[in-house]
Tab-separated table of all heavy atoms in Angstrom:
chain	number	residue	atom	x	y	z
A	4	PHE	N	-22.976	19.404	-1.354
A	4	PHE	CA	-23.392	18.802	-0.086
A	4	PHE	C	-24.394	17.687	-0.337
A	4	PHE	O	-25.264	17.826	-1.203
A	4	PHE	CB	-24.067	19.842	0.812
A	4	PHE	CG	-23.251	21.084	1.012
A	4	PHE	CD1	-23.719	22.324	0.568
A	4	PHE	CD2	-22.013	21.020	1.637
A	4	PHE	CE1	-22.969	23.470	0.751
A	4	PHE	CE2	-21.255	22.173	1.829
A	4	PHE	CZ	-21.736	23.397	1.382
A	5	LYS	N	-24.289	16.623	0.465
A	5	LYS	CA	-25.246	15.537	0.346
A	5	LYS	C	-26.406	15.816	1.298
A	5	LYS	O	-26.386	15.420	2.467
A	5	LYS	CB	-24.563	14.208	0.685
A	5	LYS	CG	-25.282	13.045	0.102
A	5	LYS	CD	-24.423	11.799	0.181
A	5	LYS	CE	-25.325	10.604	-0.112
A	5	LYS	NZ	-24.805	9.388	0.470
A	6	CYS	N	-27.421	16.521	0.787
A	6	CYS	CA	-28.585	16.858	1.600
A	6	CYS	C	-29.287	15.553	2.007
A	6	CYS	O	-29.532	14.696	1.166
A	6	CYS	CB	-29.528	17.743	0.788
A	6	CYS	SG	-31.102	18.027	1.621
A	7	PRO	N	-29.608	15.391	3.294
A	7	PRO	CA	-30.247	14.140	3.738
A	7	PRO	C	-31.587	13.908	3.038
A	7	PRO	O	-32.043	12.771	2.939
A	7	PRO	CB	-30.462	14.360	5.241
A	7	PRO	CG	-29.597	15.501	5.629
A	7	PRO	CD	-29.380	16.329	4.398
A	8	VAL	N	-32.213	14.967	2.541
A	8	VAL	CA	-33.506	14.819	1.877
A	8	VAL	C	-33.327	14.653	0.365
A	8	VAL	O	-33.905	13.767	-0.254
A	8	VAL	CB	-34.412	16.047	2.158
A	8	VAL	CG1	-35.758	15.895	1.451
A	8	VAL	CG2	-34.589	16.250	3.649
A	9	CYS	N	-32.489	15.485	-0.252
A	9	CYS	CA	-32.433	15.580	-1.714
A	9	CYS	C	-31.243	14.873	-2.348
A	9	CYS	O	-31.180	14.751	-3.568
A	9	CYS	CB	-32.381	17.039	-2.147
A	9	CYS	SG	-33.564	18.079	-1.307
A	10	GLY	N	-30.267	14.476	-1.572
A	10	GLY	CA	-29.067	13.896	-2.169
A	10	GLY	C	-28.023	14.958	-2.483
A	10	GLY	O	-28.116	16.092	-2.014
A	12	ARG	N	-26.111	17.885	-3.881
A	12	ARG	CA	-26.541	19.117	-4.566
A	12	ARG	C	-25.443	20.171	-4.516
A	12	ARG	O	-24.637	20.201	-3.594
A	12	ARG	CB	-27.800	19.675	-3.905
A	12	ARG	CG	-29.030	18.807	-4.061
A	12	ARG	CD	-29.319	18.542	-5.524
A	12	ARG	NE	-30.456	17.662	-5.696
A	12	ARG	CZ	-31.696	18.086	-5.896
A	12	ARG	NH1	-31.966	19.365	-5.924
A	12	ARG	NH2	-32.668	17.210	-6.065
A	16	GLU	N	-27.467	25.944	-4.545
A	16	GLU	CA	-28.849	25.748	-4.085
A	16	GLU	C	-29.015	26.115	-2.613
A	16	GLU	O	-30.125	26.098	-2.089
A	16	GLU	CB	-29.260	24.278	-4.266
A	16	GLU	CG	-29.414	23.866	-5.717
A	16	GLU	CD	-29.970	22.442	-5.855
A	16	GLU	OE1	-30.377	21.843	-4.846
A	16	GLU	OE2	-29.990	21.958	-6.993
A	17	PHE	N	-27.888	26.418	-1.959
A	17	PHE	CA	-27.921	26.634	-0.506
A	17	PHE	C	-27.557	28.074	-0.149
A	17	PHE	O	-26.884	28.756	-0.912
A	17	PHE	CB	-26.897	25.721	0.183
A	17	PHE	CG	-27.176	24.244	0.073
A	17	PHE	CD1	-26.839	23.546	-1.091
A	17	PHE	CD2	-27.763	23.552	1.125
A	17	PHE	CE1	-27.081	22.179	-1.186
A	17	PHE	CE2	-27.996	22.185	1.032
A	17	PHE	CZ	-27.660	21.500	-0.129
A	57	HIS	N	-28.773	26.471	4.453
A	57	HIS	CA	-30.211	26.368	4.212
A	57	HIS	C	-30.424	25.894	2.779
A	57	HIS	O	-29.984	26.571	1.833
A	57	HIS	CB	-30.858	27.747	4.423
A	57	HIS	CG	-32.348	27.724	4.318
A	57	HIS	ND1	-33.084	28.841	3.998
A	57	HIS	CD2	-33.243	26.717	4.493
A	57	HIS	CE1	-34.365	28.530	3.978
A	57	HIS	NE2	-34.488	27.252	4.272
A	58	HIS	N	-31.083	24.773	2.618
A	58	HIS	CA	-31.319	24.280	1.251
A	58	HIS	C	-32.513	25.032	0.647
A	58	HIS	O	-33.557	24.460	0.341
A	58	HIS	CB	-31.540	22.756	1.250
A	58	HIS	CG	-31.339	22.166	-0.112
A	58	HIS	ND1	-31.535	20.844	-0.403
A	58	HIS	CD2	-30.927	22.741	-1.271
A	58	HIS	CE1	-31.278	20.642	-1.697
A	58	HIS	NE2	-30.912	21.785	-2.231
A	59	SER	N	-32.281	26.329	0.436
A	59	SER	CA	-33.388	27.222	0.074
A	59	SER	C	-33.890	27.001	-1.350
A	59	SER	O	-35.034	27.295	-1.647
A	59	SER	CB	-32.958	28.676	0.270
A	59	SER	OG	-31.653	28.856	-0.221
A	60	ARG	N	-33.038	26.523	-2.251
A	60	ARG	CA	-33.499	26.212	-3.607
A	60	ARG	C	-33.696	24.701	-3.752
A	60	ARG	O	-33.490	24.139	-4.830
A	60	ARG	CB	-32.497	26.725	-4.658
A	60	ARG	CG	-32.759	28.126	-5.205
A	60	ARG	CD	-32.279	29.244	-4.304
A	60	ARG	NE	-30.851	29.452	-4.349
A	60	ARG	CZ	-30.171	30.050	-3.355
A	60	ARG	NH1	-30.783	30.459	-2.260
A	60	ARG	NH2	-28.883	30.223	-3.468
A	61	GLY	N	-34.057	24.042	-2.649
A	61	GLY	CA	-34.304	22.599	-2.687
A	61	GLY	C	-35.439	22.296	-1.733
A	61	GLY	O	-36.517	22.882	-1.834
A	62	CYS	N	-35.153	21.446	-0.743
A	62	CYS	CA	-36.210	21.005	0.165
A	62	CYS	C	-36.514	22.046	1.250
A	62	CYS	O	-37.419	21.859	2.050
A	62	CYS	CB	-35.801	19.697	0.822
A	62	CYS	SG	-34.296	19.877	1.808
A	63	ARG	N	-35.744	23.137	1.288
A	63	ARG	CA	-35.918	24.234	2.238
A	63	ARG	C	-35.642	23.831	3.690
A	63	ARG	O	-36.024	24.524	4.622
A	63	ARG	CB	-37.310	24.882	2.112
A	63	ARG	CG	-37.597	25.380	0.696
A	63	ARG	CD	-38.767	26.321	0.613
A	63	ARG	NE	-38.676	27.438	1.533
A	63	ARG	CZ	-37.924	28.510	1.346
A	63	ARG	NH1	-37.188	28.610	0.274
A	63	ARG	NH2	-37.924	29.482	2.233
A	64	GLN	N	-34.948	22.702	3.860
A	64	GLN	CA	-34.529	22.317	5.213
A	64	GLN	C	-33.210	22.984	5.558
A	64	GLN	O	-32.386	23.252	4.685
A	64	GLN	CB	-34.328	20.791	5.290
A	64	GLN	CG	-35.605	19.999	5.112
A	64	GLN	CD	-36.615	20.318	6.207
A	64	GLN	OE1	-36.310	20.199	7.385
A	64	GLN	NE2	-37.797	20.744	5.797
A	65	TRP	N	-33.009	23.273	6.867
A	65	TRP	CA	-31.696	23.681	7.356
A	65	TRP	C	-30.890	22.432	7.636
A	65	TRP	O	-31.405	21.472	8.226
A	65	TRP	CB	-31.828	24.495	8.639
A	65	TRP	CG	-32.236	25.921	8.392
A	65	TRP	CD1	-33.502	26.406	8.347
A	65	TRP	CD2	-31.360	27.023	8.163
A	65	TRP	NE1	-33.485	27.765	8.100
A	65	TRP	CE2	-32.173	28.171	7.984
A	65	TRP	CE3	-29.970	27.163	8.088
A	65	TRP	CZ2	-31.639	29.438	7.734
A	65	TRP	CZ3	-29.448	28.429	7.841
A	65	TRP	CH2	-30.277	29.548	7.659
A	66	VAL	N	-29.630	22.438	7.223
A	66	VAL	CA	-28.769	21.287	7.506
A	66	VAL	C	-27.507	21.778	8.238
A	66	VAL	O	-27.171	22.959	8.176
A	66	VAL	CB	-28.348	20.542	6.209
A	66	VAL	CG1	-29.562	19.926	5.543
A	66	VAL	CG2	-27.601	21.470	5.245
A	82	LEU	N	-29.711	16.866	9.125
A	82	LEU	CA	-30.753	17.882	9.272
A	82	LEU	C	-30.489	18.666	10.554
A	82	LEU	O	-30.145	18.083	11.587
A	82	LEU	CB	-32.127	17.231	9.326
A	82	LEU	CG	-32.624	16.645	7.996
A	82	LEU	CD1	-33.981	15.961	8.200
A	82	LEU	CD2	-32.724	17.723	6.918
C	502	ZN	ZN1	-32.545	19.308	0.433
Side-chain angles (χ1 to χ4, degrees):
Chain A
F4 308 117
K5 202 167 167 205
C6 172
V8 179
C9 314
R12 293 304 177 95
E16 291 186 8
F17 295 80
H57 185 204
H58 199 183
S59 43
R60 268 81 77 203
C62 61
R63 304 195 53 78
Q64 294 298 305
W65 282 91
V66 295
L82 289 177

